[in-house]
């Protein structure tokens, strides 16, 4: 296990103890796993998710405690068995469930408020943390000692599960409860790309000053939040043992469970740190189709002209082709049940592909070809971009290359800043 709180990062303090092969540092002092994941790419089924590490190596952290679980359909072990089944089967006193955006089963549409309910299989309450409440109330936490969090992050800054985790940590800190993250791999690996959010643009869809593609796990992001936001939570991370930043989810042996309804494939997850920017425009990203976040489109796109421009840019690691698609209602709120022309992206070499820069080049190409048709949803785009500088640069006529030129400097600065919260080799 690894524990972290505030900006403390000393190793091996006097109040640490060894348990089951992991160094547990109490009272919020950061440490590292006793057994580090390998540096080289791993064979299939090497990675053990946090739920398995907790139950096999450090069950005493929750044994006899009243436990709440913040999770959804992605909270499963390596065999696909749910956390609820595993915890109850291990004799853990699970007394409450909590759900993020999309609900405990992961089926609610984006932005759809989810009501508090009762789990039909166990009779446990499922408290919704998306809608009326975005954080557990004092009453919800009153009967708990420990809150477990097991959510599959998408690997991109614009994702609400991190914000939900932060709200849980804040509420737990106020009530003196422990938060234990059941970590799992970043599904698209440890690469960092894109710009770093300006904190003036912090929102529920982008809470932390991290890059568009942050390359971190939920456990690492929680540690960063505890430090950067001064939350002061008593935070413990059950690591994803065997993971390192060179591994994508399909190299871990773990099952792929779509983290939300419109991220259906690992391919989509690789595009998402870039193509999500199109949510802040009048183009569709393919919601309500079989390939959301693998394509963009509108009824008026001239694919021949756009493809000529984007291919001329010579962007590495990705190919482009023209497509037509018709989003279904209610998946797409822009062009439901309308035939669209568009561009489909396919990753050809992951190591070379930068979805964030690619998306900016594609934005610029479509805007240049269709200046009278393309529109920004400026407020939403800027929230996603974490700044208004990207939009205003493109509006001022800057090239995509010029508009993204300072991103490398931002990434170098962030790379140094995140070092103290990392749990896995990069």
């Amino acid at each position: 296990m690894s524990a972290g709180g505030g900006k403390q990062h000393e190793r091996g303090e006097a109040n640490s103890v060894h348990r089951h092969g992991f160094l547990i540092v109490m009272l919020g002092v950061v440490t590292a796993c006793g057994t580090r994941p390998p540096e080289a790419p791993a064979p299939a089924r090497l990675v053990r998710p946090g739920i398995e590490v907790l139950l096999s190596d450090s069950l005493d952290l929750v044994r006899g405690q009243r436990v709440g679980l913040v999770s959804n359909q992605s909270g499963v072990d390596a065999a696909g068995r749910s956390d609820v089944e595993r915890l109850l089967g291990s004799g853990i006193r699970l007394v409450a469930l909590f759900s993020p955006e999309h609900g405990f089963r992961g089926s609610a549409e984006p932005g759809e408020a989810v009501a508090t309910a009762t789990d039909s299989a166990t009779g446990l309450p499922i408290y919704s943390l998306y809608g009326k409440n975005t954080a557990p109330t004092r009453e919800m936490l009153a009967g708990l000692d420990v809150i477990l969090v097991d959510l599959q992050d998408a690997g991109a800054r614009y994702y609400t599960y991190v914000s939900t985790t932060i709200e849980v940590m804040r509420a737990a800190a106020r009530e003196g409860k422990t938060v234990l993250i059941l970590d799992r791999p970043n599904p698209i690996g440890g690469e960092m790309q894109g710009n770093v959010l300006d904190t003036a643009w912090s929102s529920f869809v982008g809470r932390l000053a991290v890059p568009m593609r942050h390359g971190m796990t939920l456990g690492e992001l929680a540690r960063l939040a505890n430090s950067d936001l001064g939350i002061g939570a008593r935070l413990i991370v059950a690591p994803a043992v065997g993971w390192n930043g060179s591994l994508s989810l399909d190299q871990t042996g773990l099952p792929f469970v779509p983290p939300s309804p419109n991220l259906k494939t690992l391919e989509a997850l690789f595009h998402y740190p870039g193509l999500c920017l199109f949510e802040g425009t009048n183009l569709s990203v393919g919601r309500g189709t079989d390939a959301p976040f693998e394509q963009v489109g509108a009824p008026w796109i001239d694919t021949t002209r756009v493809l000529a421009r984007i291919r001329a840019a010579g962007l590495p690691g990705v190919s482009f082709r023209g497509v037509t698609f018709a989003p279904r209602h209610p998946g797409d709120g822009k062009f439901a049940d309308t035939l669209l022309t568009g561009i489909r992206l396919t990753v050809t070499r992951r190591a070379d592909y930068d979805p964030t820069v690619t998306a900016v080049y594609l934005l610029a190409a479509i805007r240049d070809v269709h200046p009278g048709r393309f529109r920004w949803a400026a407020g939403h785009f800027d929230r996603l971009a974490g700044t208004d500088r990207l939009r205003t640069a493109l509006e001022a006529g800057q090239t995509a290359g010029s508009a993204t030129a300072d991103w490398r400097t931002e990434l170098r600065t962030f790379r140094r800043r995140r070092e103290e919260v990392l749990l896995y080799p990069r």
Side-chain angles (χ1 to χ4, degrees):
M1 295 290 181
S2 296
K7 292 184 178 292
Q8 296 171 294
H9 58 279
E10 296 81 6
R11 300 183 184 272
E13 293 269 332
N15 58 351
S16 63
V17 294
H18 285 277
R19 290 180 183 164
H20 308 289
F22 293 93
L23 180 62
I24 312 297
V25 179
M26 310 306 291
L27 303 178
V29 181
V30 175
T31 185
C33 302
T35 304
R36 293 179 64 81
E39 298 286 346
R45 302 203 67 80
L46 177 69
V47 176
R48 298 168 61 213
I51 179 63
E52 293 187 359
V53 173
L54 173 72
L55 296 181
S56 64
D57 300 337
S58 294
L59 191 60
D60 54 322
L61 289 177
V62 291
R63 184 184 286 116
Q65 304 291 302
R66 298 167 300 173
V67 175
L69 173 66
V70 184
S71 193
N72 59 10
Q73 77 289 346
S74 68
V76 297
D77 67 9
R81 292 173 293 182
S82 75
D83 287 359
V84 173
E85 176 186 344
R86 292 299 312 273
L87 290 165
L88 292 175
S90 298
I92 301 305
R93 189 180 175 190
L94 188 60
V95 298
L97 306 175
F98 299 84
S99 65
E101 184 180 7
H102 309 298
F104 200 75
R105 307 300 175 198
S107 58
E109 289 296 323
E112 179 183 344
V114 179
T116 290
T118 300
D119 180 39
S120 59
T122 63
L124 295 173
I126 305 175
Y127 297 113
S128 172
L129 301 181
Y130 193 81
K132 180 181 178 181
N133 295 308
T134 57
T137 64
R138 174 171 290 180
E139 291 72 25
M140 294 176 190
L141 297 180
L144 302 180
D145 301 306
V146 180
I147 304 104
L148 306 182
V149 180
D150 189 355
L151 296 168
Q152 177 62 72
D153 185 66
R157 181 178 69 217
Y158 5 83
Y159 213 59
T160 62
Y161 295 172
V162 176
S163 295
T164 295
T165 301
I166 290 170
E167 292 305 309
V168 169
M169 290 166 58
R170 284 175 167 155
R174 288 193 296 268
E175 301 302 319
K177 313 292 184 179
T178 296
V179 175
L180 200 163
I181 307 291
L182 304 176
D183 215 10
R184 44 186 70 247
N186 184 313
I188 56 175
E191 184 66 43
M192 295 190 306
Q193 293 165 328
N195 72 342
V196 175
L197 176 137
D198 179 340
T199 54
W201 297 92
S202 176
S203 70
F204 203 72
V205 296
R207 183 67 73 201
L208 297 174
V210 300
M212 294 170 171
R213 180 180 178 182
H214 51 69
M216 300 170 70
T217 68
L218 185 66
E220 292 172 330
L221 290 167
R223 285 158 60 95
L224 184 70
N226 217 20
S227 173
D228 280 7
L229 305 181
I231 297 173
R234 186 179 186 281
L235 178 66
I236 303 173
V237 176
V241 172
W243 188 76
N244 68 74
S246 71
L247 299 179
S248 303
L249 187 66
D250 56 357
Q251 297 170 299
T252 67
L254 299 178
F256 174 78
V257 180
S260 54
N262 285 288
L263 290 172
K264 299 176 183 294
T265 63
L266 189 58
E267 174 83 10
L269 288 177
F270 273 98
H271 296 302
Y272 184 69
L275 291 192
C276 188
L277 290 173
F278 281 85
E279 296 273 74
T281 73
N282 62 340
L283 278 81
S284 168
V285 294
R287 291 182 183 275
T289 73
D290 62 351
F293 293 104
E294 299 180 36
Q295 56 194 357
V296 298
W300 37 263
I301 287 184
D302 184 334
T303 56
T304 300
R305 293 174 64 197
V306 172
L307 284 171
R309 284 181 177 257
I310 194 67
R311 286 170 176 164
L315 297 166
V318 62
S319 66
F320 307 89
R321 63 183 173 90
V323 292
T324 59
F325 56 92
R328 298 179 299 276
H329 183 80
D332 190 279
K334 297 175 180 177
F335 301 111
D337 305 313
T338 303
L339 184 65
L340 311 182
T341 54
I343 309 297
R344 180 78 172 259
L345 289 75
T346 302
V347 179
T348 57
R349 183 173 168 79
R350 291 175 182 176
D352 296 335
Y353 179 43
D354 186 333
T356 65
V357 169
T358 298
V360 176
Y361 272 86
L362 188 55
L363 277 166
I366 293 172
R367 187 172 182 272
D368 289 347
V369 170
H370 299 287
R373 295 273 198 166
F374 178 88
R375 295 285 185 276
W376 306 100
H380 189 36
F381 184 89
D382 295 348
R383 280 191 295 273
L384 293 171
T387 177
D388 61 357
R389 289 186 297 145
L390 177 58
R391 177 179 53 82
T392 56
L394 295 175
E395 287 180 342
Q398 290 189 31
T399 65
S402 176
T404 60
D406 61 349
W407 288 5
R408 289 185 180 180
T409 300
E410 295 182 27
L411 290 173
R412 282 196 296 269
T413 301
F414 179 74
R415 189 181 302 278
R416 293 190 295 269
R417 188 167 68 81
R418 75 172 187 171
E419 278 299 318
E420 68 179 27
V421 303
L422 295 182
L423 295 169
Y424 312 94
R426 295 304 198 274

